[in-house]
Amino acid sequence: MEGAMAITRNEAAAALSDIESTQRRGMTLRGYRVGGPILMMWSLIWATGYLTMGLAPPELWLPVWLALDVVGVAAALLLARAGKPEAAGAPPGMTWRLLCGSLSMMVFALSVFWVMKPTDPAAAMAFPGLLIGVIYAVVGFWAAPRYALIGGLMFGLTLVGYFLFQPWLPFWMAAASGALFLSGVWLWRR
């Protein structure tokens, strides 16, 4: 073969590594586009739930949050399916994984409240923000780095609200959900 250049084994390995890295980055970015609208939707659910906690008597908090969580999980599944997770590089069965993961988090949160029986309403209000913050951070550290930033932001905003604005914590958390909405826009538009 006249004029053809021979490629070395190391050059071929480096080229394949670059291709794999580019594919992984592309899948992550497509995953952000699917996840952005889901995060925006959850921010609205959170704002509604926390506003309810600030305006309604405590006996309504659990039923309202349970209803909102059911609506949120259903909407997230619809948004994820509409976002074509397989096209974003998600493994088969991702819808079931999202559903089972969401249900596991709800059962965990309810179990913590049942076992710990918090008597301080502010602690009960802060727990979901801390839980979601750490979950997003872990997902970010393992798979999608932007989620680590979002998780840290949610965790930090929850602690600021708990320690500095406790008398207005439900309203602080409702406002902090705006950061989740903007984070969803950031994921979706990038």
Side-chain angles (χ1 to χ4, degrees):
M1 289 204 311
E2 211 170 294
M5 291 183 49
I7 185 167
T8 69
R9 174 176 264 151
N10 288 343
E11 291 170 333
L16 288 174
S17 177
D18 288 345
I19 290 168
E20 183 179 320
S21 176
T22 301
Q23 285 177 327
R24 200 172 27 251
R25 178 159 168 71
M27 288 187 320
T28 300
L29 291 174
R30 284 189 299 275
Y32 286 149
R33 281 194 294 277
V34 171
I38 293 170
L39 192 55
M40 289 185 275
M41 181 272 309
W42 274 109
S43 76
L44 299 174
I45 297 253
W46 272 45
T48 303
Y50 278 113
L51 286 173
T52 299
M53 292 178 94
L55 300 171
E59 54 271 5
L60 291 179
W61 297 356
L62 180 61
V64 166
W65 271 108
L66 286 175
L68 288 170
D69 285 342
V70 168
V71 168
V73 168
L77 291 172
L78 289 172
L79 287 169
R81 290 184 65 85
K84 311 228 183 323
E86 294 79 21
M94 191 56 150
T95 302
W96 285 107
R97 291 178 188 189
L98 285 170
L99 178 62
C100 291
S102 298
L103 293 175
S104 296
M105 284 191 312
M106 288 186 342
V107 167
F108 174 76
L110 288 171
S111 298
V112 167
F113 285 115
W114 185 41
V115 170
M116 301 295 198
K117 296 177 181 46
T119 56
D120 177 11
M125 288 179 208
F127 180 72
L130 297 173
L131 176 64
I132 294 302
V134 77
I135 289 170
Y136 276 123
V138 168
V139 168
F141 295 138
W142 279 95
R146 292 181 188 172
Y147 284 112
L149 294 172
I150 295 166
L153 176 65
M154 193 67 227
F155 201 88
L157 287 172
T158 301
L159 289 176
V160 167
Y162 181 80
F163 287 111
L164 299 180
F165 303 109
Q166 205 168 97
W168 309 280
L169 187 58
F171 302 108
W172 171 266
M173 294 302 292
S177 70
L180 287 179
F181 190 89
L182 293 175
S183 297
V185 171
W186 176 53
L187 292 179
W188 179 56
R189 301 298 287 171
R190 300 289 257 169

